[in-house]
Amino acid sequence: MTNKEDDKMAKAETMYIVIPCYNEEEMLPITARALIGKLDMLIAEEKISPDSKVMFVDDGSKDKTWNLIERFHRSCEMFTGLKLSKNRGHQNALLAGLITAKDYADIVVSMDADLQDDVNAIDGFLEKRAQGCEIVYGARSSRETDTAFKRGTAQAYYKILSHMGVDITYNHADYRLMSKKAIEALEQFDEVNLFLRGIVPMVGYKSDIVTYERAERQAGESKYPLKKMLAFAIEGITSLSVKPIRLITTLGFLIFVISIIMLIYFLVIYFMGKTVAGWTTTVVSVWALGGLQLLAIGVIGEYIGKIYLETKSRPKYIIETNLENEEY
C-alpha cells in the first residue's frame, strides 16, 4: 500500500449507525441486510473505517426484537446493540444510542428501523462531513407519497414551529449524521422532555442538509399512529417555545378590550331607552369565555407538568445490556 493510500485509510472515520427499535422483529432482518451491505460498500471504498458498526437499540420491545439483535451480534462483528430496561420512547432510545455510540465512533448516523430513510443518503452525509460539517440533516425532498391529510398537517406543523421561533429543519425527522464533538455538546442538554429535532440545531456547529426520497415501509406496522403523532407535535412545541403562553396573554388582553367596548355599547343602548334581549349574547359570552379559560389552564398546565418532570431529574433511560461489552 502506498503512502497516499495509508493517509487515506488513516483519515477514514469510524461510523456507527444507531437504530432505535420497538417491536420490529418483522422489519429488522430486512434492515440489517440493507445496512450491512451499505457498510461493506463504504468500507470497500475507504470512506469509513473497518471498525464501523450498526447499533440497534431495543426500546423495551415485547416481541423477539432483542433476540434478533443478539443473533446478529453473534453472527457478525459489525452488529452490536443496547437493551433498555423498559420502554422509554423513541427519543430517549435514540439519545441512549447516540451517547453510547460516541464512545466508540467518530461519527454517528441515526435513522429509524423501518428503512423509509434512503440508506444511500449516507454517501451525501459523508461528503458534507468531508467538507467540515459536524452535523448533517437528512430531509425529505417531497411528500408525494403521503396522504393529503398527512402532507397538509405536516406542512402546517413546520410553519407553526417556525412562527414560534423554533429552529428546525423542514421535512427532517431523525435521520442525521453527528460527529463525536456534536454529540458531546448534545449531551450537555439536560432536558427530560426530549425533542431532538429541535434540540440538535441548538448545538450550533457547522451543518448542512442532504435531501432524499422517502420510501414506503416494507414490513411491520408504523409505531406512530395519529394519536402519538399529535402527542409528539405538542411535545415539540411546548418543549422549545413559550409563545403559546404569550399568545394566551395577548388573547386575554384582546378579550378584555372587547369586553370594555361591549360594556360601553350596552350602556349607550340602555340610556337610549332601547331594550336588549341579551339572552344570546350572555350564553355565547359564557361559553366562549369558559372554553377560553379551560384552554388557557390546559396550556399552562402542560408547561407546569413539564417543569414538574424536569425538577425530578429522573434518568432518561437505563441501559440493561450493552453488547459492546460482551465477547462474541
Side-chain angles (χ1 to χ4, degrees):
M1 185 177 291
T2 65
N3 291 334
K4 186 176 181 180
E5 290 172 328
D6 284 335
D7 291 340
K8 188 175 182 180
M9 284 298 293
K11 292 179 182 178
E13 294 183 301
T14 300
M15 181 179 76
Y16 271 43
I17 302 177
V18 171
I19 315 287
C21 306
Y22 179 70
N23 293 344
E24 291 287 1
E25 65 174 326
E26 294 181 48
M27 189 66 208
L28 219 53
I30 302 172
T31 304
R33 284 194 299 271
L35 293 179
I36 202 69
K38 190 62 188 177
L39 282 185
D40 284 337
M41 183 188 307
L42 293 172
I43 291 171
E45 294 173 353
E46 300 181 356
K47 292 182 178 180
I48 59 174
S49 164
D51 295 326
S52 300
K53 295 184 180 183
V54 175
M55 175 179 282
F56 293 109
V57 182
D58 179 26
D59 185 24
S61 298
K62 298 177 182 178
D63 60 4
K64 297 179 181 178
T65 294
W66 181 245
N67 294 335
L68 286 172
I69 294 171
E70 288 185 309
R71 188 190 309 169
F72 296 153
H73 175 68
R74 289 193 297 267
S75 63
C76 178
E77 62 181 11
M78 295 178 72
F79 288 116
T80 187
L82 296 179
K83 179 177 174 60
L84 303 189
S85 61
K86 61 175 293 186
N87 179 255
R88 296 294 299 165
H90 178 273
Q91 297 290 279
N92 286 299
L94 176 55
L95 183 67
L98 292 174
I99 299 301
T100 303
K102 74 164 175 44
D103 294 333
Y104 310 100
D106 302 303
I107 51 176
V108 180
V109 171
S110 61
M111 63 186 301
D112 291 338
D114 55 20
L115 221 60
Q116 289 184 271
D117 299 320
D118 184 5
V119 296
N120 293 316
I122 295 176
D123 294 79
F125 289 176
L126 294 174
E127 289 177 9
K128 298 294 184 182
R129 172 61 177 163
Q131 296 169 15
C133 291
E134 302 288 345
I135 303 171
V136 184
Y137 301 100
R140 298 174 62 167
S141 56
S142 68
R143 286 186 170 269
E144 294 179 358
T145 57
D146 288 349
T147 62
F149 173 77
K150 188 173 182 179
R151 182 167 55 251
T153 53
Q155 291 172 347
Y157 178 60
Y158 281 109
K159 288 179 180 178
I160 290 171
L161 283 175
S162 178
H163 286 311
M164 290 190 173
V166 177
D167 182 13
I168 189 169
T169 302
Y170 185 69
N171 276 344
H172 165 68
D174 286 300
Y175 188 25
R176 69 178 75 88
L177 176 147
M178 297 184 71
S179 68
K180 181 184 182 75
K181 177 182 176 181
I183 297 174
E184 287 174 342
L186 176 65
E187 195 174 8
Q188 297 178 41
F189 289 79
D190 204 29
E191 282 96 333
V192 172
N193 304 285
L194 284 178
F195 187 71
L196 292 176
R197 302 177 196 184
I199 296 175
V200 171
M202 294 181 186
V203 171
Y205 294 135
K206 182 179 179 182
S207 64
D208 210 331
I209 299 172
V210 171
T211 58
Y212 65 94
E213 291 288 338
R214 189 167 170 85
E216 296 290 336
R217 173 183 272 268
Q218 298 182 41
E221 297 179 353
S222 171
K223 304 305 180 295
Y224 265 89
L226 180 60
K227 183 179 178 181
K228 280 191 174 183
M229 288 177 64
L230 290 173
F232 190 58
I234 294 171
E235 180 77 27
I237 293 172
T238 55
S239 294
L240 299 169
S241 175
V242 295
K243 279 196 174 182
I245 291 181
R246 291 175 181 169
L247 288 174
I248 288 174
T249 303
T250 303
L251 187 58
F253 177 75
L254 290 175
I255 291 176
F256 174 73
V257 171
I258 292 172
S259 67
I260 296 298
I261 295 172
M262 293 299 293
L263 176 61
I264 295 172
Y265 170 75
F266 284 120
L267 285 174
V268 171
I269 294 295
Y270 173 77
F271 286 116
M272 289 176 65
K274 295 182 179 179
T275 58
V276 180
W279 174 255
T280 303
T281 304
T282 302
V283 171
V284 171
S285 298
V286 169
W287 279 93
L289 290 174
L292 178 61
Q293 288 172 344
L294 289 175
L295 174 63
I297 292 171
V299 173
I300 294 170
E302 183 75 21
Y303 280 92
I304 293 174
K306 290 185 182 300
I307 294 171
Y308 171 75
L309 292 174
E310 294 290 346
T311 56
K312 289 285 186 181
S313 297
R314 291 171 177 167
K316 301 178 185 69
Y317 54 84
I318 296 174
I319 297 175
E320 181 178 323
T321 307
N322 181 357
L323 295 180
E324 282 289 315
N325 299 329
E326 297 186 4
E327 297 182 358
Y328 295 96

